[in-house]
Amino acid sequence: ALSFHSCNNLRVSGLQHVNSQKNHISINGCNDVDISHLKITAPEESPNTDGIDISASNHLQIHDSFIGTGDDCVAINGFSSYINISRVLCGPGHGISIGSLGKGGAYETVEEVHVEDCTFKGTMNGARIKTWKGGRGYARKISFERIRMINAGNPIIIDQTYVNRMAAASTASGDVEISDVSYKGVIGSSTDARAVYFNCGDGAGCRNIVVEDVEMTSAVAGKQLFAVCNNAHGTSSADRSPRVPCLLP
């Protein structure tokens, strides 16, 4: 519905977007951007209605907004860096996503993304990083802090073998490198028993993953939450729910 290309010192505030035909706002090739006080809505079942799509852009602030759509609330794509997202209520939707990166073996990078004081309510995913098998590049220096989950699916997820449902699985080797990712102060409720999922590739895997003060309960009474890791390296605090004992040194 609204696209900004090659803009510097951009300020977007006070807009209301309803039922865009595809993604609501696109930011491409921009530098020094402040986005605030937006209300973006679309039905939960509406496909590809991302709230804010970011690509090849640097130094963005997204804050004090509501985004509820049928896809990612915020999607951060390749060659983007220094992005701060705060005080955003996300839901419904697919969460706040880094990626997807590396489709078709592409080289893409994302770094210095920091999400804090945000709420995910009734989302399909929460804090998500997704990269394609066979891609190249990196996603690094990413943090999620003081995050609240309210009946969210896949609250914490890294998928280094992401494949679109409409595409066949890639047989290409190599991975987009994922490193220096932290989750601190994530609380609330999960609709999935698997509340933490680090699905990293068979190569280098994911490095320096930090899980601290994560404390969630199941949205289904009586169910216990757990974590699943595949070739994920890092550290976690051991006395909260879910425990994450599967991280490798």
Side-chain angles (χ1 to χ4, degrees):
L2 181 62
S3 179
F4 296 96
H5 179 71
S6 297
C7 297
N8 295 324
N9 307 312
L10 173 66
R11 302 295 180 261
V12 181
S13 184
L15 302 182
Q16 179 170 327
H17 283 238
V18 181
N19 294 350
S20 174
Q21 297 93 332
K22 200 176 178 185
N23 50 313
H24 289 75
I25 297 177
S26 294
I27 308 291
N28 173 257
C30 296
N31 184 65
D32 185 12
V33 178
D34 190 284
I35 300 174
S36 68
H37 300 97
L38 303 187
K39 183 177 182 181
I40 298 175
T41 59
E44 184 174 4
E45 66 275 11
S46 57
N48 301 316
T49 52
D50 292 357
I52 302 173
D53 274 353
I54 301 166
S55 59
S57 296
N58 304 287
H59 301 284
L60 279 77
Q61 306 281 340
I62 300 173
H63 57 97
D64 300 293
S65 295
F66 169 80
I67 305 173
T69 71
D71 211 301
D72 294 328
C73 292
V74 180
I76 301 168
N77 298 294
F79 307 107
S80 298
S81 63
Y82 294 95
I83 297 170
N84 295 314
I85 302 172
S86 60
R87 299 181 301 281
V88 170
L89 172 57
C90 169
H94 293 183
I96 292 177
S97 297
I98 314 295
S100 60
L101 304 175
K103 183 177 180 180
Y107 177 89
E108 294 184 292
T109 67
V110 169
E111 64 182 326
E112 296 287 0
V113 176
H114 305 289
V115 181
E116 60 184 22
D117 299 312
C118 290
T119 298
F120 298 82
K121 184 176 182 180
T123 53
M124 182 180 293
N125 304 286
R128 179 163 67 155
I129 301 173
K130 49 181 178 175
T131 66
W132 286 74
K133 185 70 176 174
R136 298 173 298 121
Y138 56 80
R140 65 191 183 194
K141 299 179 182 177
I142 298 164
S143 66
F144 297 90
E145 298 191 16
R146 300 183 302 280
I147 304 298
R148 186 182 183 195
M149 304 285 181
I150 303 174
N151 296 342
N154 297 312
I156 294 175
I157 179 170
I158 295 176
D159 190 356
Q160 213 172 15
T161 59
Y162 176 76
V163 177
N164 190 293
R165 288 175 298 173
M166 302 303 292
S170 172
T171 59
S173 61
D175 296 304
V176 175
E177 297 178 4
I178 297 176
S179 64
D180 303 312
V181 183
S182 63
Y183 306 87
K184 299 180 180 180
V186 181
I187 64 171
S189 55
S190 171
T191 57
D192 291 305
R194 187 187 66 190
V196 176
Y197 185 35
F198 297 134
N199 182 30
C200 302
D202 296 331
C206 308
R207 300 284 175 176
N208 194 24
I209 308 300
V210 176
V211 181
E212 292 183 4
D213 299 325
V214 171
E215 188 165 11
M216 289 181 284
T217 59
S218 175
V220 181
K223 278 202 171 184
Q224 295 294 315
L225 302 183
F226 59 89
V228 174
C229 308
N230 176 43
N231 201 17
H233 300 256
T235 60
S236 70
S237 55
D239 58 345
R240 304 297 179 98
S241 172
R243 297 184 62 205
V244 190
C246 53
L247 284 170
L248 302 172

